[in-house]
Amino acid sequence: MAEPRFTVGYALLPKKQRTFIQDSLLALARSRGIDLVAVDLRRPLVDQGPFDCVLHKLRGEDWSRQLREFSSRHPGAAIVDSPDAIDRLHDRISMLQVVSGLEIECPDGSSFGIPDQVVVYDRERLLNEQSCEGLAFPVIAKPLVADGSEQSHEMSLVFNRGGFSKLEPPIVLQEFVNHGGVVFKVYVVGEYVQCVKRRSLPDLSEEKLGSPEGLVPFSRVSNSVIPEKDGDESREATELEEAEMPPQSLIAELARGLRRAMKLSLFNFDVIRDARYGDRFLVIDINYFPGYAKMPCYETVLTDFLWDVVHKNEKDEVKYVEDETCSSKG
């Protein structure tokens, strides 16, 4: 008797589709009995399929309505993930509030938290001397809305009050914490957790804190814009290679706790080691449906996840990986 086949409809914007839907992913999923089919965004979702699962990264009330209608018509189909749950990650304040609410045991004397931060909604308050509410310079300025657009990635390192005049509220002001120039990116795909190291903004010395510039823009935290001296690049590469990974059990428990609290299956979160306290780790960002194609062996990980979804394998375990190897379930 032939093995049953399952159809997963994916609804992604063109840029996301180009990076995520690779031939290697399509082929591996097909070999496991899963056919990945593009949702036609010009037609009502309810008129398409049949789908055993809908994988999506779209926004808007119309799309949410289409998902609700599809779920009502096909209650057995899985939706990955709920639009209401995803919306929480589009606000940089509510995004990190979930971290503060986690109750997990930290191993080996380690601890976790989030950076101190405030949100400023209007220019008058931004230019007011009380706008930082106790935050010390430098601070990182981030747009309040995190919707994946180019504008939402327009961040800046602000050295003094003069830099505030170049910002456009609503804006989140977050304390800058020296962290060894390394960010730990934790990818979560259902039960699967993979932690990788990436370069981040370098630590700031007292000399750099005296920068005459009020503000230095940077597109993403992992891309340094602080001017480098000769030899800095090789030194930072060595620091990245030698950086100690966070405790495996802490990252695994953070991933499990966030997955439960947010009711999401596909996300990543960025963690830094607070240089002031070597065993304290800060979650600085959470993203829905990140660039998984950058993750080692993403095809195997996503295919295993979709196999579990369409076979309705309910699990609450964690499979943790912190190197660049992977294996597939049979």
Side-chain angles (χ1 to χ4, degrees):
M1 182 177 175
E3 290 288 324
R5 299 198 65 81
F6 299 89
T7 303
V8 173
Y10 57 87
L12 306 170
L13 293 176
K15 182 179 178 180
K16 187 72 174 179
Q17 183 170 318
R18 285 193 300 272
T19 58
F20 181 73
I21 304 297
Q22 302 287 328
D23 289 343
S24 53
L25 175 63
L26 294 171
L28 182 58
R30 194 180 305 118
S31 73
R32 298 282 300 279
I34 300 170
D35 298 314
L36 289 165
V37 177
V39 170
D40 186 345
L41 303 184
R42 299 165 298 181
R43 298 170 50 209
L45 177 62
V46 74
D47 294 340
Q48 301 181 59
F51 298 128
D52 300 285
C53 170
V54 175
L55 191 69
H56 72 101
K57 190 178 182 180
L58 298 177
R59 291 191 68 189
E61 181 52 41
D62 179 67
W63 176 246
S64 296
R65 178 191 57 76
Q66 289 196 56
L67 286 174
R68 289 193 296 269
E69 185 177 353
F70 179 85
S71 292
S72 176
R73 190 84 60 90
H74 306 281
I79 303 294
V80 180
D81 278 302
S82 162
D84 291 341
I86 296 170
D87 279 347
R88 183 174 198 165
L89 298 186
H90 292 143
D91 180 299
R92 285 197 163 92
I93 294 298
S94 62
M95 171 197 296
L96 294 186
Q97 283 175 340
V98 67
V99 180
S100 301
L102 295 181
E103 295 182 3
I104 62 177
E105 290 189 16
C106 298
D108 307 321
S110 61
S111 62
F112 73 93
I114 63 173
D116 290 337
Q117 59 182 18
V118 297
V119 60
V120 181
Y121 291 99
D122 59 77
R123 175 164 292 278
E124 182 179 354
R125 186 186 167 203
L126 180 65
L127 300 179
N128 187 290
E129 289 190 4
Q130 305 302 316
S131 60
C132 279
E133 294 186 10
L135 293 182
F137 288 106
V139 297
I140 295 177
K142 304 179 178 183
L144 176 62
V145 176
D147 59 2
S149 66
E150 290 299 319
Q151 291 79 8
S152 70
H153 290 298
E154 292 178 354
M155 307 180 194
S156 302
L157 192 58
V158 184
F159 291 93
N160 52 55
R161 290 205 160 272
F164 286 162
S165 63
K166 303 175 184 179
L167 299 176
E168 192 64 43
I171 204 89
V172 173
L173 303 177
Q174 188 179 88
E175 68 170 333
F176 175 83
V177 176
N178 279 341
H179 52 282
V182 177
V183 60
F184 303 98
K185 302 191 81 69
V186 184
Y187 292 93
V188 180
V189 184
E191 68 182 47
Y192 184 92
V193 178
Q194 182 171 146
C195 183
V196 299
K197 294 184 285 188
R198 294 288 183 265
R199 283 182 60 181
S200 180
L201 287 177
D203 289 349
L204 295 179
S205 63
E206 290 297 324
E207 176 186 355
K208 287 178 178 175
L209 289 179
S211 170
E213 296 182 78
L215 172 151
V216 177
F218 60 97
S219 59
R220 296 177 188 272
V221 172
S222 57
N223 294 330
S224 169
V225 296
I226 302 299
E228 295 179 345
K229 299 178 181 178
D230 292 341
D232 274 4
E233 190 167 347
S234 60
R235 175 180 55 78
E236 290 172 4
T238 300
E239 289 176 349
L240 177 64
E241 182 178 347
E242 295 179 349
E244 181 183 357
M245 298 292 278
Q248 173 178 325
S249 53
L250 174 63
I251 295 299
E253 285 303 307
L254 277 173
R256 190 205 305 272
L258 289 172
R259 195 176 75 221
R260 288 174 174 173
M262 299 189 302
K263 296 181 172 58
L264 294 174
S265 298
L266 301 176
F267 63 94
N268 78 343
F269 58 100
D270 293 346
V271 178
I272 59 173
R273 176 184 276 108
D274 190 334
R276 298 168 297 185
Y277 319 95
D279 56 356
R280 182 163 176 79
F281 297 88
L282 303 176
V283 178
I284 59 172
D285 202 12
I286 307 174
N287 300 289
Y288 183 68
F289 207 145
Y292 284 118
K294 300 175 184 177
M295 183 179 76
C297 307
Y298 95 100
E299 299 96 336
T300 300
V301 175
L302 268 295
T303 298
D304 285 347
F305 167 73
L306 293 173
W307 194 94
D308 282 339
V309 169
V310 297
H311 285 83
K312 297 181 171 55
N313 284 3
E314 298 294 336
K315 298 185 178 183
D316 193 32
E317 59 190 69
V318 168
K319 178 184 177 183
Y320 180 90
V321 175
E322 65 176 33
D323 56 30
E324 299 193 359
T325 62
C326 62
S327 60
S328 179
K329 301 172 188 174

